[in-house]
Amino acid sequence: LSLSSCKWTGSPRLSHLDFSGHAVHRSWNSCSVCFPVVKKQCWQRRGKGFKRSFVEASGNGAPQSFDYDVIIIGAGVGGHGAALHAVEQGLKTAIIEGDTVGGTCVNRGCVPSKALLAVSGRMRELQDEHHLKALGIQVAAASYDRQAVADHANNLASKIRGNLTNSMKSLGVDILNGIGTLVAPQKVKCGKIGYPDKIVTGRDVIIATGSIPFVPPGIEIDGKTVFTSDHALKLEWVPDWIAIIGSGYIGLEFSDVYTALGSEVTFVEALDQLMPGFDPELGKLAQRVLINPRKIDYHIGVLAKKITPAKNGRPVTIELVDTKTRKPKDVLEVDAALIATGRAPFTKGLGLENVDVVTQRGFIPVDECMRVLDGDGNKVPHLFCIGDANGKMMLAHAASAQGISVIEQIAGRPNVLNHLSVPAACFTHPEISMTGLTEPQARAKGEEEGFIVKVVKTSFKANTKALAENESEGLAKLIYREDTGEILGVHILGLHAADLIHEASNAIALDTRVQDIKFTVHAHPTLSEVLDELFKSAKVGNHAPVIKKAEPLAV
Ligand SMILES: Cc1cc2nc3c(=O)[nH]c(=O)nc-3n(C[C@H](O)[C@H](O)[C@H](O)COP(=O)(O)OP(=O)(O)OC[C@H]3O[C@@H](n4cnc5c(N)ncnc54)[C@H](O)[C@@H]3O)c2cc1C
Ligand SMILES: NC(=O)c1ccc[n+]([C@@H]2O[C@H](COP(=O)([O-])OP(=O)(O)OC[C@H]3O[C@@H](n4cnc5c(N)ncnc54)[C@H](O)[C@@H]3O)[C@@H](O)[C@H]2O)c1
């Protein structure tokens, strides 16, 4: 959207938009000749944010005036991030939630899983006699109270849910309870059983309806012996032997929890390697550190075709077939099975047909600015989709960042989120983290675009802080362009890798080059020196650092 000055107030205002969102008039006076669906907006700066002083629209079912500047459907972390940023910009904002504020992350995802992982980390340390002995510590055998561990996860979720709700209420976001359905452009129905439907209109609408566990056909969930992460997070029991179907983020994190609490784990992975989404070198190291020394075995290249819950004294049975040939491979009998085979977008019943949007495998198609695309690939005016529902990057902070990016655009400031700068982390012990491209992806890009890719690595073994902690297993890997020093990807496995990655992801976001970042200073002794050493070991073409040298002192 282009900004020009309002004829009366002199303050910035959006130019007029045609139905497909293109600017058609730059002059206020030419409105009368506009297409039927033309919106005139004039913005007045008030205080720190923008406040709309005039809104008018006409034509084809679109409202004449709006109850809200922004309506968000779904109060997960994506919706929450968008709502807070919207009110900060002075936009009148409503958020519609059909279930529980906080969505997946707070209630059934990041938050409770990290509470369980905090316990698994401590259990692991307290059970590691060799490690404790090296530090000179003696403890009696560690044990745990399952219900108390489960309560810790549940209490944390309640606390964070309360924080999220209060933050929105205190800033003036209207929280509407009910199921949101698009009934027309810029018009949303909020439906709640036992209450009359409420129709609300918004100049801009953001879909943030998230995702639910994907369960492949043939797998029967009973919630007790065959379950998804939704059930597993309640920690109702700790099976002696559990099969985890899928070795992605959820599978890996739960293998860390279950083995620390005493279970034996069998992974079933459809692809030819465990953790197929990670940089292959880090994946191999993860297997050496997180899988091989633990009570974990695995079947790779096989699909769990049929899973039957335990019944009448019979165990859970899992029929495996070869992924490529689909021929039967094996039958496993275990105490329980956790299905961690990805997540499906939660977009049914949203009324997308009323705005001509056709989902792709359930995901809502969007462009790089999160603007929703219709069946013909055109932008649907004033409609955005963020978070898991668009499938771009199924991470909590990605959902929130997309929400903030959308609000920036709504406020008239062009914004495109660089997804390569969004970090990801797997909270195992030790952790794995990454940002940008994997080595194979970077090499493919280099070949296509004709540049040389360089890789350097540093080990945690030489890091003083890691050695002091007696936790020096780990590696950091930098992938960069030799000619320009552009950082293409960073991957870390080691103590606090999830915290360490931000220096690299911020460098990508701000386009800081290797030849510049290598002159930044890191406190000693800290784990961050692993990255310091990594950047310093990189050799970049003939580029001089951009950092300015101090002028000689005048005497
Ligand atoms: C076990 C697990 C662990 C995870 N750990 C991490 C982690 O450590 N770090 C990380 O970054 N990510 C993690 N994730 C992923 C993260 O939870 C999701 O990426 C994130 O929650 C997506 O946010 P969202 O706002 O898009 O959707 P959600 O959080 O799913 O929220 C969507 C909300 O919309 C509501 N809704 C849906 N339809 C409607 C409707 N029609 N009307 C009204 N309301 C509606 C839902 O009730 C829900 O509250 C984890 C996921 C799982 C399952
Ligand atoms: N720490 C985190 O950031 C974190 C933690 C948990 C979840 N998440 C998010 O949640 C999403 C879902 O996680 P996930 O682990 O379920 O999905 P995933 O996509 O990470 O991994 C799913 C795995 O299951 C395998 N698979 C699929 N169908 C199979 C079958 N029938 N038999 C055997 N294997 C099969 C796939 O090959 C893949 O390796 C992820 O996209 C992730 O971004 C993030």
Side-chain angles (χ1 to χ4, degrees), residues 24 33 49 58 147 170 179 203 285 336 344 377 400-401 410 414 436 438 444 499:
V24 290
V33 297
S58 62
Q147 189 55 53
S170 64
I179 302 289
R203 196 185 68 87
L285 180 61
S400 182
I410 289 172
T438 61
D499 292 294

Side-chain angles (χ1 to χ4, degrees), residues 184-410:
Q186 299 165 291
K187 208 180 255 187
V188 185
K189 181 179 85 183
C190 177
K192 195 174 172 186
I193 296 170
Y195 292 85
D197 288 345
K198 186 177 171 155
I199 302 284
V200 279
T201 57
R203 196 185 68 87
D204 288 285
V205 176
I206 303 175
I207 299 169
T209 51
S211 66
I212 51 173
F214 165 70
V215 178
I219 297 181
E220 188 187 330
I221 300 284
D222 69 351
K224 291 188 176 71
T225 59
V226 181
F227 45 78
T228 67
S229 55
D230 286 358
H231 308 101
L233 287 166
K234 295 184 187 146
L235 202 72
E236 282 171 352
W237 65 304
V238 178
D240 287 342
W241 186 8
I242 182 164
I244 299 183
I245 318 300
S247 65
Y249 283 85
I250 294 182
L252 203 55
E253 288 188 349
F254 270 102
S255 76
D256 196 283
V257 171
Y258 279 122
T259 51
L261 300 186
S263 306
E264 287 182 33
V265 167
T266 295
F267 267 119
V268 173
E269 170 54 54
L271 298 180
D272 284 337
Q273 66 183 82
L274 291 175
M275 300 160 276
F278 296 162
D279 178 89
E281 191 174 8
L282 267 279
K284 256 189 212 153
L285 180 61
Q287 179 157 340
R288 201 162 62 71
V289 176
L290 300 170
I291 308 281
N292 297 348
R294 299 181 180 176
K295 288 183 176 170
I296 301 179
D297 68 349
Y298 52 87
H299 300 258
I300 52 174
V302 287
L303 284 169
K305 188 163 187 300
K306 187 165 185 232
I307 303 189
T308 314
K311 222 182 275 169
N312 306 327
R314 284 197 316 271
V316 172
T317 54
I318 304 175
E319 294 176 29
L320 302 179
V321 296
D322 186 284
T323 304
K324 289 183 194 118
T325 63
R326 303 286 157 138
K327 289 202 176 123
K329 248 333 227 324
D330 215 337
V331 178
L332 304 178
E333 293 187 341
V334 290
D335 299 320
L338 166 64
I339 313 305
T341 47
R343 298 194 47 95
F346 190 27
T347 53
K348 267 201 188 133
L350 254 178
L352 293 168
E353 63 286 0
N354 298 325
V355 284
D356 292 333
V357 172
V358 183
T359 58
Q360 292 167 1
R361 291 181 300 115
F363 291 105
I364 296 181
V366 291
D367 68 2
E368 75 288 355
C369 294
M370 312 303 135
R371 290 177 290 215
V372 174
L373 304 175
D374 69 14
D376 297 324
N378 299 318
K379 286 170 216 132
V380 180
H382 303 286
L383 187 63
F384 299 84
C385 175
I386 60 170
D388 283 10
N390 70 31
K392 272 188 180 283
M393 207 174 202
M394 292 178 123
L395 294 173
H397 45 281
S400 182
Q402 290 173 359
I404 290 169
S405 171
V406 165
I407 297 298
E408 282 293 292
Q409 297 168 57
I410 289 172

